[in-house]
């Protein structure tokens, strides 16, 4: 009986060592690997500005907004002091997803006046949901206590997910 148990333990250790060394040479055998994540920054565009006209958002902006400046469209940090909703007829034809940069999703329009300016469409473009969980949920900081309602009417939650090199709380549903 002892000899059988000893052979079993030695076989298990040998098998574990063989598996470990083969996983080092074959990265696919180490499990599921997340896909590389694209640039996942959300942005807002004030009509008539678009992602094509604005170019890439500067990394230095926390809440990048591309809006008409005196000569052309340009990036600013969302420095809105006031916002007044307007009737959709005051903004004209609503833009669609063509406004958003490649790799982001169209999340909707709001017709309104920022900082007492003329009424214009503000288009929200958001990054797609991350598929890479953070190793340590504490890296996301304290979880916000908000209710998440999904498009299907069900309840969702928040999960700590990786975005480029940082971890952030993300909704569990759209």
């Amino acid at each position: 009986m002892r000899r059988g148990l000893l052979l079993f333990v030695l076989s298990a250790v040998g098998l574990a060592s063989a598996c470990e060394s083969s996983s080092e040479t074959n990265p696919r055998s180490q499990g599921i690997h997340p896909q590389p994540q694209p640039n996942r920054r959300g942005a807002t565009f004030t009509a008539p500005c678009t992602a094509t006209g604005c170019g890439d958002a500067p990394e230095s902006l926390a809440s990048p907004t591309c809006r008409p400046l005196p000569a052309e469209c340009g990036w600013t940090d969302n420095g809105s002091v006031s916002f007044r909703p307007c009737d959709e007829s005051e903004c004209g034809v609503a833009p669609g997803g063509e406004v958003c940069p490649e790799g982001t999703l169209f999340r909707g329009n709001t017709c309104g006046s920022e900082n007492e300016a003329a009424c214009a469409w503000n288009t929200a473009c958001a990054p797609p949901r991350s598929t890479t969980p953070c190793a340590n949920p504490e890296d996301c900081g304290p979880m916000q206590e908000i209710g998440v309602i999904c498009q299907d009417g069900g309840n969702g939650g928040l999960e700590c997910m990786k975005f480029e090199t940082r971890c952030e709380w993300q909704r569990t549903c759209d």
Side-chain angles (χ1 to χ4, degrees), residues 22-173:
S22 68
S23 68
E24 289 175 9
T25 58
N26 183 1
R28 288 182 171 251
S29 66
Q30 293 180 1
I32 298 172
H33 292 279
Q35 295 295 318
Q37 301 296 322
N39 183 355
R40 299 184 155 276
R41 297 193 65 210
T44 303
F45 297 87
T46 301
C49 300
T50 65
T52 305
C54 297
D56 292 335
E59 290 292 322
S60 60
L61 300 180
S63 300
T65 301
C66 184
R67 55 174 53 121
L69 299 175
E72 58 188 23
C73 292
W75 289 103
T76 64
D77 217 353
N78 187 0
S80 184
V81 175
S82 67
F83 183 84
R84 175 181 57 84
C86 298
D87 289 331
E88 290 184 6
S89 61
E90 295 179 76
C91 289
V93 177
E98 73 279 355
V99 171
C100 296
E102 187 176 331
T104 63
L105 304 171
F106 173 75
R107 293 295 187 196
N109 292 312
T110 304
C111 177
S113 167
E114 285 187 292
N115 303 331
E116 303 302 319
C119 294
W121 286 107
N122 289 283
T123 303
C125 304
R129 293 169 34 83
S130 174
T131 58
T132 308
C134 289
N136 183 0
E138 292 178 9
D139 291 343
C140 285
M143 184 189 306
Q144 300 171 1
E145 293 186 29
I146 61 171
V148 176
I149 299 177
C150 307
Q151 286 181 349
D152 66 3
N155 293 323
L158 297 174
E159 58 192 349
C160 185
M161 302 299 281
K162 190 147 188 101
F163 293 90
E164 295 173 347
T165 59
R166 66 192 186 285
C167 291
E168 293 180 5
W169 292 106
Q170 170 183 273
R171 297 168 52 102
T172 57
C173 62

